Amino acid sequence: MSTTHIVAALNARADLRPAERLVLVQLGNLAGDDGVAFPTVGRLAAAANVSGSTVSRALQKLTDLKLIERTAIRTPAGTTTTTAYRLTGGQA
């Protein structure tokens, strides 16, 4: 848990919808000191008490606003194993 990232999420742009802010806070909660988290959409949905599609839309919006960066982690065969979410605080 990174309180620095949780506080940054709570103080992020005022125009975020509640679900978007909650997903950002959950990412901050799961992030290490480096600001990177590896949760599944299902884990974020359960933690935020919203649907997976709501989380997916929130992640897209947060990416578009450059509040997070998403990186697919792939196996040598090219299959995606997980996604890394780096909180940027809009500094991407």
Side-chain angles (χ1 to χ4, degrees), residues 8-17 21 24 61 65 67:
L10 290 170
N11 292 322
R13 304 169 56 119
D15 61 341
L16 290 179
R17 293 179 181 202
R21 186 172 310 279
L24 189 59
K61 175 80 179 271
L65 293 173
L67 293 171

Side-chain angles (χ1 to χ4, degrees), residues 32-55:
D33 290 338
D34 59 357
V36 179
F38 300 89
T40 63
V41 169
R43 181 173 181 184
L44 288 171
N49 198 30
V50 296
S51 69
S53 59
T54 296
V55 169

